[in-house]
C-alpha cells in the first residue's frame, strides 16, 4: 500500500510531466525572486513553478502568507491546494529557501509574490434598498438633486467593478415622456429638459416673451438654446406631487450579458418652484429713511446661487442692488420726476457663471409726493385785447405746469388774480377762470387812449405750494382808419424803354391814423390797373410807409408806349366792420415810354441741328430766326465757319451745306450767326449755331500705330507669333469695334497665319521655321463689319535676324547708310591729310610774320632821334 503523502506527490509529478511544466526556463528554473499572477476561483492543486536546486541543496522550504494554501515539495515544486479568493487576500507574499541535508539554508530565502487576479464573482449591491429625495419645479435640467450608490467587491481597476446606472421605470409615465434622468457613472438623478419647463417662460410678461429680451439674456447669460425651447410637458406638483423610479445598476460597465445587477426604489417629492418674480414694488419718492432699504427678494430653488441685477436701459444712475441672499435693495432716494418706474431683471447663476434659469422681472413704481411747486409758462405771459372788445370776451389762457404726477391732487392747480396795475379806469377789469386759467374782460370795454397796457399778478396754487406769475395785457388799436394818399395824381413820367431794370422811378406816399407800426397802420401798395405785364412793382419803406415804384421787367415802347397806372393803398389787417376803402386810398400816374433803337433779337441763344455727315452738298441743315423790335428788315451772316462747310440765306436764315461734312474732323461743328438790321443804325446781335453730325461708316480700318522693329530670331526653333491692334476713325458703338482679320494674299498662307483675339487685336503667326534671314512684308486685310462694310489692307514688316541677348543684331556692313571698312579708312586718311596741310600753311605764315617784325624793329632803332 502506497502512503497517502507519496500518492499525492506522485499525482503532482504526473500532472507536472503531462502539462509541460518540466520545460526548462518557462515553468522551472533556479531559485530567484519571482511574481506569479493567478486568477481567483481556479481549481485547486495547480502547479505554479518548479525550482531547481544546486548542490549541496537537496530540499526546499516555504514560509510567509501561505494561508495553508500554498505548498512546496522537497524537489522544489510550488503549488496551491485550493481556489484563491482575491477579496480575501489579493497578494500573498511568500519566501522560498534551499536547504542541505542537515536542514541548513544554503540559498535564499528569496521573495515569491502571488498576485491574485480578479474575476467577476461579486454582484453590485445598492447601499440602500430605498432612496427618498425632493426636487423643485423648474429646477435646472441636468443638475443632480439626488444620488444613488452601489458597491461591488471586485477589483475597481477592472471592468468587473465598473458600475452602470439606469432608470428602468418612472411612475407615473405621462405621454411616454421621461422627466428624470440618471448619470450612468455617478448615479446622480436630475431633471430632463422636458421635465423642467412648461409652455411659457414663467416670470416674463407676454410682451417680453416675444421681444428681444429672450435673445438678450441667452446672449449675455449663457443660456443654452434648448433651455429656451420650452418642453411640451412639465413637472407640476399640482398634477403629480410625487414620482417613483426603479433604478438598476450593472457591473461590467453594463456592456456584457454576463454582468451582475441590482435594483433599488427611488421616491421623489415635487415641491413648488420658488424662483418666481416678486410682486411689483411701490416706493415713495425722496424718502428720508437711511439707505439702502430692502424692497423685495428673490430665491433660487437651491442654496449657493450667485445673484445679480441687469438694467437693459443702462441708466447712468442705477439705484438698486442685490446681495448673495437674493435680497434686493434701493440704494438711494428716488425722484419720480426723474423716472417714475423702473423695470430690471434678477439673474441667478451657478458657480461657473452660467445662468440657472430665466431672469425674473422686477418692477418698481415710484409714488409721487407733492414736492414740486407750480411753474409759470414764461417769466411774463403776454396777451392782446382789442379796444372796444365786448364784456366776457376771452383774452387768452394762462397755462402753468406742475412736475408732480398728472391727474392727482399734487398737480391740480387753481388760478386767482392778486393785483392789477394800473387800476385805471378802475380795478377788477379782468377775471381768470379758477381751474382753467382763462382770462376774460370783466367790466367794460378798453380804450387804448386810456391805458395801452395792463400788468396782472396771478397766483397759481396746488394743495401745498403757491407761485406768482406775471401777465401783461396789451390793448391794441382796431383798424378803423383807412390809408389816405397825399395826392391822388402823380402826373406824367417819361422814360426811355432801355431804362435799367431795378431802377426806382417814383415815390408815392399815403398816411394812416391807426397806431403806428401795427398791422392797422402798415400800408401795402398794389398796382391794380395799367400794368398787365407786371413791369412795375412797389416796395414799402416799413418806417415811413413810402412806396417806391421800381421797374421789375424791361419797358417796351412797341407794346406799351403809354400806360395809365392806378395804385391802391391797403392795410394787412382787415378793417373793422362798417369801415371801407374809398377814393382817398387810390392814386394814379401816367407812364410814357420813349422809343430806343434796339438790336435784332434772336428767338433763342443757341440753335441746334443734327444731320448725317454724308448729306449731299446743298442740303438744308438748319435755320435761325430773329426779329427787330423796330420792325426793320434783318440780314443774316455766318461768323467762324473755319472749314467753309456752311452758307446762310441772308434773308430767311436757312443754313445749307456747301462742302462735304466730316464728323471725324470735329463734332459738333460750332459757328456764330450774326443778325444785322437793314437801315437805321445797323445794330447787330449774335447767336450760336451748333451742328451735330451723325456718323456713317466712311473710314476703313487701319493699324492703331506704326509697327516697326517687329522681328523673330533666326534661325527660328519653333513657329512664333506677334500681336497687333487695329482701329478706325468712325464712331464706335457701345459694344466697341468688331474687326475681322485675314491675309491679303493667298501666296502668304503657306508661311503665315492670322487669328483674331478680340474685336481689335489679332495674332500673326508663322507656319514653319524655314525662313531666310531678311525682312518680310506681310499684307493683312481688316474688315470693320460696318454698314456698308469697309476694308483696309495694311502691311506689317517682320524681320528674321540674328539675336544677341534677345535683341536683333544687324552687322554694320549690311545696314544702309553705314560706310564699309575701306571707305572708313579712306575717309580717315583724307581727314589727316587736310589737317596736315592746314598746319603747314599756318606754320609758314607765322614764320613770315616773325621776320617782318624783326626788320621793322631794326628800322625803328635807326631813326630814333638823340636826346640832348
Amino acid at each position: 500500500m502506497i502512503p497517502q503523502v507519496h500518492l499525492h506527490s506522485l499525482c503532482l509529478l504526473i500532472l507536472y510531466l503531462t502539462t509541460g511544466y518540466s520545460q526548462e526556463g518557462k515553468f522551472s528554473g533556479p531559485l530567484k525572486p519571482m511574481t506569479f499572477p493567478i486568477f481567483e476561483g481556479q481549481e485547486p492543486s495547480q502547479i505554479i513553478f518548479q525550482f531547481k536546486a544546486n548542490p549541496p541543496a537537496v530540499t526546499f522550504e516555504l514560509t510567509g502568507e501561505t494561508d495553508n494554501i500554498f505548498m512546496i515539495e522537497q524537489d522544489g515544486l510550488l503549488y496551491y491546494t485550493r481556489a484563491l479568493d482575491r477579496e480575501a487576500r489579493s497578494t500573498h507574499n511568500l519566501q522560498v529557501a534551499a536547504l542541505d541535508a542537515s536542514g541548513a539554508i544554503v540559498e535564499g530565502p528569496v521573495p515569491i509574490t502571488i498576485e491574485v487576479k480578479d474575476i467577476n464573482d461579486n454582484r453590485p449591491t445598492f447601499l440602500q434598498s430605498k432612496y427618498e429625495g425632493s426636487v423643485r419645479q423648474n429646477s435646472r435640467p441636468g443638475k443632480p438633486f439626488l444620488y444613488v450608490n452601489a458597491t461591488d467587491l471586485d477589483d475597481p481597476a477592472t471592468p468587473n467593478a465598473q458600475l452602470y446606472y439606469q432608470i428602468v421605470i418612472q411612475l407615473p409615465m405621462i405621454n411616454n415622456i421621461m422627466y428624470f434622468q440618471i448619470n450612468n457613472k455617478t448615479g446622480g438623478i436630475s431633471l430632463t429638459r422636458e421635465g423642467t419647463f412648461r409652455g411659457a417662460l414663467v416670470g416674463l410678461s407676454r410682451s417680453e416673451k416675444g421681444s428681444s429680451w429672450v435673445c438678450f439674456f441667452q446672449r449675455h447669460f449663457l443660456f443654452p438654446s434648448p433651455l429656451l425651447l420650452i418642453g411640451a410637458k412639465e413637472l407640476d406638483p399640482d398634477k403629480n406631487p410625487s414620482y417613483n423610479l426603479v433604478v438598476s445598476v450593472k457591473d461590467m460597465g453594463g456592456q456584457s450579458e454576463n454582468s451582475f445587477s441590482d435594483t433599488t426604489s427611488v421616491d421623489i417629492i415635487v415641491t413648488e418652484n420658488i424662483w418666481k418674480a416678486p410682486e411689483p414694488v411701490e416706493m415713495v419718492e425722496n424718502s428720508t429713511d437711511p439707505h439702502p432699504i430692502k424692497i423685495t427678494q428673490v430665491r433660487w430653488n437651491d442654496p449657493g446661487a450667485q445673484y445679480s441685477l441687469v438694467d437693459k436701459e443702462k441708466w447712468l444712475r442705477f439705484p438698486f442692488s442685490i446681495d448673495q441672499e437674493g435680497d434686493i435693495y434701493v440704494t438711494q432716494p428716488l425722484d419720480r420726476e426723474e423716472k417714475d418706474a423702473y423695470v430690471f431683471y434678477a439673474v441667478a447663476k451657478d458657480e461657473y457663471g452660467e445662468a440657472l434659469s430665466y431672469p425674473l422681472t422686477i418692477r418698481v413704481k415710484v409714488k409721487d409726493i407733492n414736492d414740486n411747486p407750480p411753474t409759470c409758462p414764461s417769466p411774463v405771459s403776454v396777451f392782446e385785447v382789442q379796444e372796444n372788445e365786448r364784456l366776457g370776451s376771452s383774452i387768452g389762457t394762462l397755462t402753468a405746469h406742475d412736475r408732480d404726477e398728472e391727474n392727482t391732487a399734487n398737480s391740480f392747480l387753481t388760478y386767482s388774480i392778486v393785483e392789477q396795475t394800473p387800476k385805471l379806469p378802475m380795478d377788477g377789469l379782468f377775471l381768470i377762470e379758477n381751474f382753467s386759467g382763462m382770462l376774460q374782460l370783466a367790466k367794460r370795454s378798453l380804450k387804448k387812449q386810456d391805458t395801452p397796457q395792463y400788468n396782472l399778478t396771478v397766483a397759481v396754487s396746488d394743495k401745498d405750494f403757491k407761485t406768482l406769475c406775471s401777465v401783461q395785457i396789451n390793448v391794441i388799436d382796431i383798424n378803423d382808419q383807412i390809408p389816405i394818399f397825399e395826392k391822388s395824381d402823380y402826373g406824367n413820367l417819361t422814360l426811355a424803354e432801355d431804362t435799367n431794370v431795378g431802377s426806382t422811378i417814383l415815390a408815392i406816399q399815403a398816411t394812416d391814423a391807426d397806431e403806428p407800426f401795427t398791422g392797422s397802420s402798415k400800408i401795402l401798395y398794389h398796382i391794380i390797373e395799367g400794368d398787365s405785364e407786371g413791369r412795375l412793382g412797389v416796395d414799402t419803406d416799413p418806417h415811413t410807409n413810402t412806396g417806391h415804384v421800381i421797374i421789375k421787367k424791361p419797358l417796351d415802347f412797341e407794346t406799351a408806349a403809354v400806360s395809365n397806372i392806378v395804385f391802391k393803398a391797403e392795410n394787412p389787417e382787415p378793417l373793422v366792420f362798417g369801415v371801407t376803402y374809398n377814393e382817398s386810398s387810390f392814386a394814379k400816374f401816367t407812364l410814357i415810354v420813349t422809343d430806343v433803337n434796339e438790336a435784332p433779337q434772336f428767338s433763342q441763344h443757341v440753335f441746334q441741328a443734327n444731320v448725317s455727315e454724308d448729306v449731299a452738298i446743298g442740303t438744308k441743315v438748319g435755320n435761325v430766326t430773329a426779329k427787330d423790335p423796330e420792325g426793320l428788315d434783318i440780314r443774316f451772316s455766318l461768323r467762324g465757319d473755319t472749314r467753309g462747310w456752311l452758307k446762310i440765306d441772308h434773308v430767311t436764315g436757312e443754313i445749307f451745306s456747301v462742302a462735304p461734312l466730316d464728323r471725324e474732323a470735329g463734332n459738333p461743328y460750332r459757328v456764330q450767326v450774326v443778325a444785322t438790321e437793314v437801315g437805321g443804325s445797323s445794330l447787330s446781335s449774335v447767336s450760336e449755331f451748333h451742328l451735330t453730325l451723325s456718323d456713317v461708316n466712311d473710314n476703313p480700318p487701319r493699324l492703331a500705330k506704326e509697327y516697326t522693329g517687329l522681328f523673330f530670331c533666326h534661325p527660328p526653333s519653333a513657329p512664333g507669333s506677334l500681336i497687333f491692334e487695329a482701329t478706325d476713325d468712325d464712331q464706335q458703338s457701345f459694344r466697341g469695334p468688331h474687326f475681322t482679320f485675314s491675309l491679303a494674299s493667298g501666296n502668304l498662307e503657306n508661311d503665315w497665319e492670322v487669328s483674331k483675339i478680340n474685336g481689335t487685336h489679332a495674332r500673326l503667326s508663322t507656319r514653319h521655321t524655314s525662313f531666310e534671314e531678311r525682312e518680310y512684308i506681310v499684307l493683312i486685310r481688316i474688315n470693320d463689319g460696318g454698314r456698308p462694310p469697309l476694308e483696309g489692307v495694311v502691311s506689317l514688316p517682320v524681320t528674321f535676324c540674328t539675336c544677341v541677348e534677345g535683341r536683333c543684331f544687324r552687322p554694320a556692313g549690311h545696314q544702309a547708310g553705314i560706310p564699309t571698312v575701306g571707305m572708313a579708312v579712306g575717309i580717315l586718311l583724307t581727314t589727316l591729310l587736310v589737317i596736315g596741310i592746314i598746319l603747314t600753311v599756318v606754320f609758314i605764315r607765322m614764320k613770315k610774320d616773325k621776320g617782318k617784325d624783326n626788320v621793322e624793329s631794326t628800322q625803328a632803332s635807326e631813326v630814333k632821334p638823340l636826346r640832348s
Side-chain angles (χ1 to χ4, degrees):
M1 182 175 180
I2 301 175
Q4 184 175 0
V5 62
H6 294 293
L7 182 61
H8 179 67
S9 298
L10 180 60
C11 292
L12 288 175
L13 178 61
I14 294 172
L15 179 64
Y16 172 74
L17 294 173
T18 57
T19 57
Y21 275 85
S22 61
Q23 299 177 12
E24 183 72 24
K26 184 174 183 182
F27 300 107
S28 64
L31 184 63
K32 61 180 180 180
M34 298 184 71
T35 298
F36 300 98
I38 301 175
F39 281 99
E40 65 174 334
Q42 292 188 0
E43 292 296 327
S45 300
Q46 296 289 325
I47 296 174
I48 301 173
F49 195 76
Q50 172 72 60
F51 292 102
K52 299 294 185 178
N54 296 318
V58 296
T59 185
F60 291 90
E61 180 185 44
L62 179 66
T63 58
E65 299 172 347
T66 62
D67 294 346
N68 293 323
I69 299 175
F70 298 95
M71 302 290 182
I72 193 168
E73 296 295 325
Q74 292 182 357
D75 59 359
L77 189 65
L78 178 65
Y79 62 97
Y80 57 94
T81 59
R82 64 175 184 268
L84 303 181
D85 185 2
R86 191 201 66 82
E87 287 71 37
R89 189 188 295 272
S90 62
T91 302
H92 293 264
N93 296 304
L94 309 177
Q95 294 85 33
V96 176
L99 308 178
D100 60 13
S102 63
I105 297 175
V106 295
E107 189 176 357
V110 297
I112 304 299
T113 302
I114 305 297
E115 293 181 349
V116 184
K117 307 302 287 187
D118 186 49
I119 63 173
N120 190 23
D121 57 347
N122 292 279
R123 65 173 292 187
T125 57
F126 280 102
L127 300 183
Q128 299 176 211
S129 61
K130 185 175 184 180
Y131 290 83
E132 295 180 349
S134 65
V135 62
R136 290 196 181 273
Q137 177 190 20
N138 290 344
S139 292
R140 185 181 178 189
K143 183 175 182 180
F145 61 86
L146 176 66
Y147 286 88
V148 295
N149 300 101
T151 60
D152 191 310
L153 296 177
D154 290 320
D155 187 357
T158 67
N160 301 330
Q162 289 185 5
L163 304 184
Y164 182 86
Y165 299 93
Q166 68 182 114
I167 298 176
V168 180
I169 299 174
Q170 171 191 294
L171 296 175
M173 174 74 77
I174 303 173
N175 293 329
N176 202 32
I177 295 176
M178 290 293 293
Y179 291 163
F180 301 93
Q181 60 188 350
I182 190 168
N183 188 298
N184 303 123
K185 294 182 179 180
T186 65
I189 299 175
S190 62
L191 292 177
T192 64
R193 299 195 187 280
E194 290 81 359
T196 304
F197 290 98
R198 47 184 160 180
L201 284 175
V202 181
L204 293 181
S205 69
R206 180 179 300 273
S207 61
E208 290 162 339
K209 295 167 192 172
S211 71
S212 61
W213 272 105
V214 172
C215 296
F216 174 82
F217 281 101
Q218 182 178 358
R219 182 170 65 251
H220 290 279
F221 301 106
L222 307 179
F223 280 174
S225 58
L227 189 83
L228 294 175
L229 298 176
I230 309 307
K233 304 299 177 183
E234 76 276 3
L235 204 63
D236 190 345
D238 295 332
K239 296 179 180 179
N240 294 289
S242 64
Y243 288 83
N244 177 257
L245 306 179
V246 175
V247 179
S248 73
V249 62
K250 294 182 179 181
D251 60 14
M252 302 296 290
Q255 301 300 314
S256 174
E257 295 180 356
N258 299 322
S259 60
F260 295 110
S261 64
D262 191 17
T263 59
T264 188
S265 175
V266 180
D267 291 334
I268 299 174
I269 304 299
V270 181
T271 58
E272 184 182 7
N273 174 39
I274 63 172
W275 181 247
K276 296 181 179 179
E279 294 295 324
V281 178
E282 289 191 351
M283 284 292 300
V284 175
E285 66 172 331
N286 297 323
S287 173
T288 58
D289 295 338
H291 287 73
I293 301 173
K294 179 180 177 181
I295 58 174
T296 188
Q297 67 182 28
V298 294
R299 292 290 186 272
W300 177 241
N301 294 316
D302 302 311
Q306 299 177 2
Y307 300 99
S308 61
L309 299 181
V310 176
D311 173 28
K312 183 184 177 183
E313 297 181 8
K314 302 300 181 184
W315 284 82
L316 295 177
R317 186 177 73 94
F318 183 65
F320 301 97
S321 66
I322 189 170
D323 63 20
Q324 292 312 302
E325 298 298 324
D327 295 334
I328 299 175
Y329 300 86
V330 58
T331 58
Q332 54 188 283
L334 305 180
D335 186 356
R336 192 205 66 83
E337 286 71 40
E338 178 182 338
K339 188 171 176 61
D340 61 355
Y342 294 84
V343 178
F344 52 94
Y345 296 85
V347 179
K349 298 182 181 180
D350 60 17
E351 62 273 19
Y352 303 107
E354 186 175 352
L356 293 168
S357 184
Y358 49 80
L360 300 182
T361 305
I362 311 299
R363 303 178 187 277
V364 178
K365 179 182 179 182
V366 185
K367 294 180 63 176
D368 185 48
I369 63 173
N370 191 22
D371 57 346
N372 291 282
T375 58
C376 302
S378 60
V380 178
S381 299
V382 179
F383 300 94
E384 290 183 345
V385 58
Q386 285 189 342
E387 60 180 351
N388 298 326
E389 193 74 55
R390 295 194 301 269
L391 297 181
S393 297
S394 173
I395 299 173
T397 300
L398 177 67
T399 303
H401 304 280
D402 194 305
R403 296 184 63 200
D404 291 316
E405 186 173 2
E406 295 181 0
N407 302 319
T408 66
N410 297 333
S411 61
F412 183 73
L413 304 180
T414 59
Y415 301 84
S416 61
I417 296 176
V418 176
E419 185 178 9
Q420 168 193 312
T421 305
K423 297 178 175 57
L424 296 175
M426 64 182 65
D427 197 6
L429 292 175
F430 305 95
L431 289 176
I432 190 166
E433 207 282 325
N434 191 30
F435 302 118
S436 68
M438 183 179 69
L439 287 161
Q440 295 174 290
L441 193 60
K443 292 186 176 179
R444 54 169 289 175
S445 297
L446 305 179
K447 289 292 184 182
K448 182 177 178 64
Q449 292 80 359
D450 296 340
T451 305
Q453 183 183 94
Y454 291 91
N455 294 294
L456 304 180
T457 301
V458 178
V460 184
S461 307
D462 61 17
K463 68 176 185 177
D464 297 313
F465 298 97
K466 177 189 292 185
T467 301
L468 298 180
C469 297
S470 297
V471 176
Q472 177 181 308
I473 298 177
N474 295 325
V475 182
I476 60 175
D477 183 31
I478 58 176
N479 192 13
D480 56 357
Q481 301 293 323
I482 63 172
I484 299 175
F485 273 102
E486 63 179 6
K487 56 183 177 179
S488 60
D489 190 346
Y490 284 86
N492 298 334
L493 179 62
T494 301
L495 297 174
E497 65 176 333
D498 62 352
T499 304
N500 292 332
V501 172
S503 300
T504 300
I505 61 174
L506 180 65
I508 58 178
Q509 183 72 58
T511 59
D512 193 302
D514 289 314
E515 181 182 359
F517 306 110
T518 65
S520 299
S521 62
K522 181 179 180 181
I523 299 176
L524 300 179
Y525 298 95
H526 303 284
I527 298 175
I528 61 174
E529 290 181 18
D531 186 26
S532 59
E533 297 294 329
R535 300 180 187 276
L536 304 179
V538 184
D539 292 340
T540 303
D541 187 321
H543 302 288
T544 63
N545 273 340
T546 300
H548 299 282
V549 183
I550 297 173
I551 298 177
K552 297 175 64 178
K553 295 181 180 180
L555 303 179
D556 189 5
F557 169 81
E558 287 72 24
T559 59
V562 178
S563 300
N564 295 311
I565 307 298
V566 178
F567 300 105
K568 180 182 179 182
E570 295 180 307
N571 301 128
E573 287 289 335
L575 297 173
V576 298
F577 181 76
V579 178
T580 59
Y581 295 104
N582 56 34
E583 65 277 2
S584 300
S585 299
F586 296 86
K588 65 179 181 178
F589 87 103
T590 300
L591 176 62
I592 301 172
V593 179
T594 60
D595 186 29
V596 175
N597 189 20
E598 299 172 90
Q601 297 176 352
F602 280 97
S603 58
Q604 56 195 70
H605 296 293
V606 178
F607 295 87
Q608 296 183 348
N610 192 332
V611 298
S612 176
E613 65 174 327
D614 64 345
V615 297
I617 294 175
T619 300
K620 177 183 175 181
V621 297
N623 68 284
V624 298
T625 57
K627 66 177 181 178
D628 185 74
E630 288 75 36
L632 298 177
D633 292 334
I634 295 175
R635 175 183 174 83
F636 295 100
S637 61
L638 295 179
R639 180 189 299 170
D641 183 15
T642 57
R643 293 192 175 92
W645 287 355
L646 306 175
K647 72 173 182 178
I648 190 169
D649 188 301
H650 301 301
V651 177
T652 64
E654 294 177 320
I655 301 175
F656 300 88
S657 65
V658 294
L661 306 180
D662 185 4
R663 187 198 66 84
E664 289 72 33
N667 191 44
Y669 186 54
R670 297 180 176 89
V671 297
Q672 291 182 330
V673 182
V674 181
T676 305
E677 63 182 14
V678 178
S681 302
S682 298
L683 298 178
S684 63
S685 57
V686 179
S687 181
E688 294 281 335
F689 177 72
H690 295 174
L691 180 61
T692 300
L693 302 175
S694 56
D695 188 47
V696 296
N697 192 26
D698 58 350
N699 290 277
R702 58 179 175 81
L703 292 176
K705 63 180 181 179
E706 182 180 359
Y707 285 91
T708 60
L710 300 178
F711 71 93
F712 291 107
C713 292
H714 188 275
S717 59
S721 63
L722 299 169
I723 295 175
F724 62 93
E725 180 184 2
T727 185
D728 74 15
D729 298 317
D730 291 316
Q731 184 177 9
Q732 303 298 333
S733 67
F734 71 95
R735 297 172 56 190
H738 288 274
F739 299 131
T740 57
F741 304 87
S742 62
L743 294 172
S745 172
N747 298 331
L748 300 172
E749 294 180 355
N750 294 329
D751 299 328
W752 306 93
E753 179 184 10
V754 175
S755 56
K756 181 177 179 179
I757 298 176
N758 54 35
T760 57
H761 291 73
R763 178 180 282 106
L764 175 64
S765 306
T766 60
R767 288 184 175 273
H768 56 80
T769 59
S770 302
F771 288 90
E772 298 179 4
E773 187 176 1
R774 64 179 179 85
E775 183 181 67
Y776 291 82
I777 302 298
V778 182
L779 300 179
I780 297 172
R781 178 179 292 107
I782 307 175
N783 189 303
D784 64 5
R787 296 181 181 178
L790 294 181
E791 289 185 348
V793 177
V794 300
S795 61
L796 283 177
V798 182
T799 302
F800 284 83
C801 59
T802 302
C803 292
V804 177
E805 296 182 353
R807 296 184 179 182
C808 185
F809 172 74
R810 299 178 182 178
H814 293 172
Q815 297 185 19
I818 303 296
T820 64
V821 175
M823 294 172 61
V825 172
I827 293 172
L828 178 60
L829 292 177
T830 303
T831 302
L832 292 175
L833 179 61
V834 171
I835 293 174
I837 294 172
I838 294 173
L839 291 175
T840 301
V841 172
V842 171
F843 178 75
I844 294 172
R845 184 68 177 268
M846 290 176 60
K847 189 172 183 180
K848 288 183 178 180
D849 290 343
K850 185 175 181 181
K852 184 179 180 179
D853 292 340
N854 292 334
V855 172
E856 291 177 352
S857 176
T858 303
Q859 293 176 351
S861 61
E862 292 177 352
V863 299
K864 185 176 180 181
L866 297 175
R867 294 180 181 271
S868 56

